[in-house]
Amino acid sequence: MIGRSVLRTAFKGVHRQCRTFASVAPPKLFSYDEIKANVKEKHAIESVEAAFGMLAKGKVDVPIPMHIGIDESPEAGPGDCHIKGGYVYGTKTWTVKLANVSFYKNVEKGLPPGSGIFVVIDATNGFPLAIFQENRYLTDLRTGAAGAVSVKHFAAPHHNKVCFLGTGMIAGAMARASSEVHKWTDAYCYGLDTKMTESFCKEMEADLGFKFHVCESAEEAVSSADVVFTQTPGSKQVLEMGWLKPHATIIASGTDQPTKNEIPADVMANSKMVCDLVRQCKLVGELRTAIKEGTMKEEDVYAEIGDVVNGSKPGREGDELIVVDLTGTGAQDAAIGQVAVDVLVHGKAL
């Protein structure tokens, strides 16, 4: 039988532990406006590049993304939820990101078609440090940074004409971030919504200082460019081999589910194929289609981005065709989450 003194001691220990938990400060909440005003492309690119390098070394714990489909019903949807996250070895935080997309009925309600939050946790004790109500701003920022890193390593300096297929938010992120690392002279743009494309071109030209052209077809846009960014919903393939310059670099970011595909399998098979994360791309990226159609095997992939960042393999070597498959990794989310904490929680000037 347990004595009363033992029970009193145990109760006091539990009581002290509960008081300790209660004394932990709650996570700080940052609004979309605060995040957008303070975290910029220049902050994201270096951190995402370093994260790719660590990912290739096996120094990032990053699970395969989780997807929740919100089927349309009288009560809800349609929409999708993507959950990603990761921890980069040696950093002080880790991140879980929840992105809600394709809630197209929101437009009828005067709301954006998606939202998102980042939860950044202190890696020394496991307690949440901050919640960033970023509404996909940080997601777009880290996606744009991945595009910029791809341009840095796979486009030649004299490749100065760029194409954007799809002219939404991701295209803007790609344009802004890539302009931080590369000098473009002309951009050729095509989207299904002509008014949106015209607005995109006007805004980007004013912000970035080089000419943006509205094209009448995807073929016109692709055939005019050295570097081709694709960021469409991925419901159908967006280009053909015959449209491409022999030395083109394709940076594809529209495919992140098994139901999507932007790039034809024959284009991938005839390219130097690069992935952000092979084991993810073969499940939900462009690579999945090439493997399914039998034009490529997993071992045909030339490299992951991090292999080139680390110097294990060269990037562009000549006039070869290159395809970069960007599915978006938890390593990028962890990297931009750390940046957001450094800037907004700790007030660091990066």
Side-chain angles (χ1 to χ4, degrees):
M1 186 173 180
I2 301 175
R4 291 183 179 179
S5 61
V6 175
L7 289 173
R8 280 197 297 269
T9 301
F11 177 77
K12 287 178 180 178
V14 171
H15 184 61
R16 282 195 297 271
Q17 187 179 35
C18 290
R19 284 188 303 181
T20 301
F21 287 156
S23 67
V24 175
K28 296 180 179 180
L29 176 64
F30 293 94
S31 70
Y32 172 82
D33 289 338
E34 290 176 291
I35 299 163
K36 189 174 181 181
N38 290 281
V39 186
K40 301 296 181 181
E41 285 82 8
K42 63 182 180 180
H43 301 135
I45 296 168
E46 185 177 343
S47 64
V48 166
E49 183 174 30
F52 278 136
M54 294 294 279
L55 187 60
K57 292 179 179 178
K59 295 291 188 179
V60 183
D61 190 350
V62 53
I64 293 298
M66 178 179 179
H67 171 251
I68 301 172
I70 314 300
D71 292 335
E72 185 173 3
S73 70
E75 290 77 25
D80 292 283
C81 174
H82 302 274
I83 302 169
K84 296 179 180 179
Y87 173 67
V88 180
Y89 175 81
T91 56
K92 295 181 179 179
T93 66
W94 56 279
T95 294
V96 175
K97 184 272 296 288
L98 185 150
N100 302 315
V101 299
S102 303
F103 282 82
Y104 297 118
K105 285 190 172 181
N106 281 2
V107 177
E108 303 168 5
K109 308 168 189 175
L111 298 171
S115 67
I117 60 170
F118 273 56
V119 181
V120 182
I121 297 95
D122 189 329
T124 68
N125 58 28
F127 287 103
L129 278 174
I131 297 173
F132 297 96
Q133 191 172 358
E134 46 89 46
N135 293 338
R136 293 190 55 78
Y137 175 75
L138 291 178
T139 294
D140 292 349
L141 203 65
R142 62 79 151 151
T143 302
V149 172
S150 299
V151 168
K152 176 180 176 179
H153 291 283
F154 302 110
H158 63 280
H159 292 172
N160 53 23
K161 298 183 187 302
V162 63
C163 160
F164 297 98
L165 294 184
T167 53
M169 296 298 292
I170 295 296
M174 293 295 190
R176 289 190 173 92
S178 65
S179 295
E180 293 280 335
V181 301
H182 198 85
K183 184 173 178 58
W184 307 115
T185 59
D186 294 271
Y188 300 89
C189 309
Y190 177 75
L192 296 179
D193 187 325
T194 302
K195 288 186 177 179
M196 178 185 289
T197 302
E198 290 172 347
S199 177
F200 170 82
C201 288
K202 183 178 180 180
E203 179 184 352
M204 291 297 107
E205 188 169 313
D207 287 353
L208 301 177
F210 60 92
K211 185 65 178 176
F212 277 71
H213 308 267
V214 178
C215 296
E216 294 185 0
S217 68
E219 181 177 0
E220 178 189 350
V222 170
S223 62
S224 301
D226 304 301
V227 176
V228 177
F229 283 99
T230 66
Q231 50 278 314
T232 71
S235 57
K236 63 179 182 178
Q237 295 175 355
V238 297
L239 54 78
E240 297 178 13
M241 174 68 87
W243 302 355
L244 294 159
K245 293 182 184 295
H247 61 262
T249 302
I250 302 170
I251 300 170
S253 62
T255 296
D256 57 2
Q257 294 180 39
T259 55
K260 297 181 178 182
N261 172 225
E262 292 186 305
I263 310 304
D266 67 315
V267 173
M268 290 183 270
N270 286 283
S271 75
K272 176 186 281 186
M273 184 74 180
V274 179
C275 295
D276 54 8
L277 183 60
V278 172
R279 63 184 173 89
Q280 184 167 295
C281 291
K282 72 178 183 181
L283 297 177
V284 299
E286 298 297 338
L287 178 62
R288 183 197 65 82
T289 296
I291 292 174
K292 181 181 178 181
E293 295 189 8
T295 62
M296 288 186 68
K297 298 177 182 178
E298 182 179 340
E299 52 266 30
D300 293 328
V301 174
Y302 170 71
E304 291 187 342
I305 295 173
D307 294 321
V308 178
V309 169
N310 292 335
S312 302
K313 292 186 176 181
R316 176 165 290 279
E317 298 174 275
D319 290 331
E320 71 271 34
L321 174 65
I322 298 176
V323 175
V324 184
D325 190 0
L326 298 179
T327 53
T329 71
Q332 294 161 249
D333 295 316
I336 198 66
Q338 179 69 62
V339 166
V341 165
D342 286 341
V343 172
L344 289 168
V345 177
H346 302 310
K348 291 183 179 180
L350 300 180

